[in-house]
Amino acid sequence: MERRIDILDNVFAHFLKGSRVFRNREVLRHDYVPDYLPHREEEILRLGEITAPTLRGSPCSNVFIYGKTGTGKTAVAKFVLNRITQKAKEINSQVRVCFVNCRLAGTEYRILAALCSSINERVPFTGLAVGELFDRFRKSLESQGVILLAALDEIDALVKMRGDTLLYELTRINESLNRSKVSIIGISNDLKFKEFLDPRVLSTLSEEEMVFKPYTAEELQDILMERAKIAFHEGVLSEEALKLCAALAAAEHGDARRALDLLRVAGEVAERRGDTKILEEHVREAQKRIEHDRVYESIKSLPTHSKIVLLSALILSRFDSDHSITGEIYNLYSELCEQLGMSPLTQRRVSELINELDVMGLLNSRVVSLGRYGRTKKISLGIPRKIIIDVLSEDEILKDMLNYKPRFLSSLQ
Ligand SMILES: Nc1ncnc2c1ncn2[C@@H]1O[C@H](COP(=O)(O)OP(=O)(O)OP(=O)(O)O)[C@@H](O)[C@H]1O
Ligand SMILES: [Mg+2]
């Protein structure tokens, strides 16, 4: 008995002592905004210069920020808004600041509710019409006589979901305000987003424009080094591991989020193995895990018909890979739909789904000639079978179909 207690004591002691790898894991989370953003000084300065007039009670130009994912747009915008908020308190300025992520907010209602709450206008969680909410927002602004600096992050999500009515109203709101003004910082990583916008909205929204470039491997190294100082105990992160994280993330497209993910997961791999130094091998393992999770998530979030197409390719690959041509996939897909009581899409639509799965890397398709019978596509799986089976066996609709025996195969063999 005593021995057992001793063993547990060790477990507790080890746990209480904390990690031997991480000093502060929190700073590697996606929403952490560091105090220092290496290689974004120019962007911070420019956004600071553009928005500074709001501190004196004047509206500033609207700004449109775009750049690829992980280039620091959200971090820079939050950083500057935090500083404006701080300064406003110090000098008792009438500026109000609001940061909304449009994708997470999800609806126009919630975006407007966030804007209202930033000017202390209480609104119910639901129940009002969007137009009504907008009027309350406008009235409240006007009665308070304030400048509102509103950052709309992932603004493309708003427009893709709901069209640009709300943006249109927001960009026009100043025309009907006398004592107050709204200035907007719009942020997007979708470079084609501009094409979706009404030209009038676009021109108002992008009075100023900022483009964030992808980070180079060297820049990512500096970013990682700064974060590693607070995230890990001294001497834990090897230089080679740090360089590899930066190089791998730069090879994709200079994405700081990816670089930080690699660093965090590499730390977790080392910790789990009981190692106290993070080496290149931990980073390689981290890369595999992240890739696995990415593929897993991308399959999981596919629409049902795409999942059935993938399942068809999976089932066919069990038999003879030569049989996986578009026609067979379609036959099996239709059979599966019938079994599931769903109506199948047209062959043409299924071909499009196959192309999409190809672009995502989940299927490989290659055009082959069938001699005088024309051409078809030969299709194989782009990823290990196991991962598809793992995802689909958790799918309520499709899990029972994993071992389905195709009827039409007997006629082919
Ligand atoms: N210059 C930097 N210094 C330190 N950390 C940074 C820097 N740039 C980005 N990061 C960090 O990298 C991650 C991704 O950055 P951020 O969220 O700002 O990217 P983004 O451009 O908004 O990407 P997305 O378009 O996907 O929203 C965040 O955790 C952020 O803290
Ligand atoms: Mg962002």
Side-chain angles (χ1 to χ4, degrees):
M1 190 63 192
E2 240 171 61
R3 264 188 72 85
R4 282 228 184 113
I5 291 171
D6 277 348
I7 293 169
L8 259 189
D9 252 359
N10 282 341
V11 172
F12 294 157
H14 187 74
F15 196 82
L16 288 172
K17 219 168 41 192
S19 165
R20 289 199 290 169
V21 172
F22 292 99
R23 189 205 305 268
N24 181 353
R25 219 182 279 264
E26 292 295 298
V27 303
L28 294 173
R29 285 169 49 122
H30 286 165
D31 52 2
Y32 174 78
V33 183
D35 297 333
Y36 170 50
L37 297 166
H39 303 292
R40 282 298 175 247
E41 290 87 354
E42 267 177 43
E43 288 77 3
I44 290 174
L45 264 180
R46 170 119 192 266
L47 189 60
E49 277 164 9
I50 296 173
T51 52
T54 58
L55 282 168
R56 276 209 330 252
S58 320
C60 68
S61 303
N62 294 329
V63 199
F64 193 45
I65 299 180
Y66 61 100
K68 287 194 176 159
T69 185
T71 51
K73 301 178 298 296
T74 301
V76 164
K78 281 193 172 164
F79 184 92
V80 172
L81 289 188
N82 285 345
R83 293 297 305 275
I84 296 246
T85 311
Q86 256 175 17
K87 197 75 194 166
K89 264 198 199 125
E90 262 172 59
I91 61 171
N92 209 3
S93 152
Q94 281 302 309
V95 58
R96 301 283 179 270
V97 168
C98 183
F99 185 96
V100 203
N101 181 305
C102 301
R103 183 177 51 81
L104 296 180
T107 62
E108 292 179 320
Y109 193 98
R110 282 197 228 138
I111 295 170
L112 271 170
L115 292 171
C116 285
S117 118
S118 70
I119 53 167
N120 292 322
E121 170 68 15
R122 286 175 172 270
V123 292
F125 286 125
T126 54
L128 298 179
V130 172
E132 238 175 298
L133 201 55
F134 195 83
D135 285 341
R136 282 196 31 188
F137 173 58
R138 188 196 339 249
K139 282 196 189 115
S140 178
L141 266 175
E142 190 60 0
S143 70
Q144 296 187 43
V146 288
I147 299 291
L148 173 63
L149 179 56
L152 302 176
D153 199 1
E154 307 196 34
I155 195 171
D156 47 304
L158 162 66
V159 176
K160 280 177 205 153
M161 283 183 300
R162 316 272 153 179
D164 57 10
T165 331
L166 177 60
L167 264 189
Y168 184 79
E169 298 288 340
L170 279 174
T171 49
R172 299 285 130 186
I173 195 170
N174 288 342
E175 293 167 9
S176 61
L177 293 172
N178 295 315
R179 303 180 52 231
S180 295
K181 293 286 176 238
V182 179
S183 299
I184 301 172
I185 303 175
I187 305 172
S188 171
N189 62 20
D190 181 348
L191 308 186
K192 286 207 222 103
F193 165 66
K194 289 176 160 186
E195 296 164 16
F196 285 93
L197 285 180
D198 180 321
R200 285 169 301 178
V201 176
L202 180 63
S203 73
T204 316
L205 202 59
S206 50
E207 287 167 345
E208 299 272 357
E209 246 183 26
M210 294 177 64
V211 182
F212 281 43
K213 291 208 192 70
Y215 293 112
T216 64
E218 289 73 29
E219 289 172 341
L220 288 172
Q221 280 184 31
D222 294 336
I223 291 171
L224 292 179
M225 200 125 62
E226 282 303 314
R227 204 67 71 91
K229 278 190 215 155
I230 28 181
F232 300 114
H233 290 298
E234 213 175 318
V236 165
L237 180 65
S238 73
E239 195 181 330
E240 299 77 51
L242 179 137
K243 285 195 170 150
L244 185 57
C245 289
L248 290 172
E252 268 188 37
H253 70 255
D255 175 347
R257 187 180 296 114
R258 169 50 69 97
L260 287 161
D261 281 345
L262 279 166
L263 195 62
R264 188 193 71 250
V265 178
E268 286 165 1
V269 170
E271 184 175 54
R272 218 163 301 151
R273 290 191 190 165
D275 298 338
T276 49
K277 201 155 177 79
I278 304 174
L279 304 170
E280 280 182 330
E281 59 182 88
H282 300 117
V283 179
R284 299 248 178 241
E285 178 62 27
Q287 189 191 22
K288 272 194 220 141
R289 286 193 192 185
I290 291 172
E291 181 58 19
H292 177 277
D293 291 352
R294 196 181 65 79
V295 173
Y296 191 95
E297 285 307 317
S298 66
I299 300 176
K300 203 169 149 187
S301 55
L302 286 174
T304 303
H305 282 280
S306 300
K307 281 186 186 158
I308 303 177
V309 171
L310 194 60
L311 174 61
S312 309
L314 176 80
I315 293 174
L316 286 169
S317 73
R318 270 211 311 267
F319 296 90
D320 183 347
S321 58
D322 277 352
H323 283 150
S324 297
I325 54 177
T326 323
E328 265 93 23
I329 298 243
Y330 186 71
N331 286 345
L332 180 49
Y333 158 84
S334 309
E335 239 180 87
L336 288 167
C337 285
E338 190 190 313
Q339 294 289 326
L340 293 163
M342 299 168 70
S343 31
L345 303 171
T346 61
Q347 177 146 7
R348 189 190 166 130
R349 182 68 194 120
V350 168
S351 288
E352 283 167 13
L353 294 184
I354 291 176
N355 286 342
E356 285 168 25
L357 293 168
D358 188 3
V359 171
M360 292 171 78
L362 302 178
L363 289 180
N364 292 323
S365 61
R366 171 165 73 83
V367 177
V368 287
S369 164
L370 293 180
R372 63 198 174 93
Y373 299 108
R375 296 183 325 161
T376 184
K377 271 189 180 164
K378 204 172 144 183
I379 292 151
S380 56
L381 298 178
I383 45 169
R385 299 170 47 86
K386 181 168 180 317
I387 189 163
I388 307 180
I389 295 172
D390 284 352
V391 181
L392 296 187
S393 51
E394 284 175 10
D395 188 294
E396 281 308 311
I397 305 174
L398 300 178
K399 64 180 179 200
D400 298 330
M401 291 290 148
L402 278 165
N403 293 316
Y404 182 75
K405 297 227 162 25
R407 259 183 268 144
F408 73 92
L409 261 189
S410 51
S411 64
L412 290 170
Q413 279 165 345

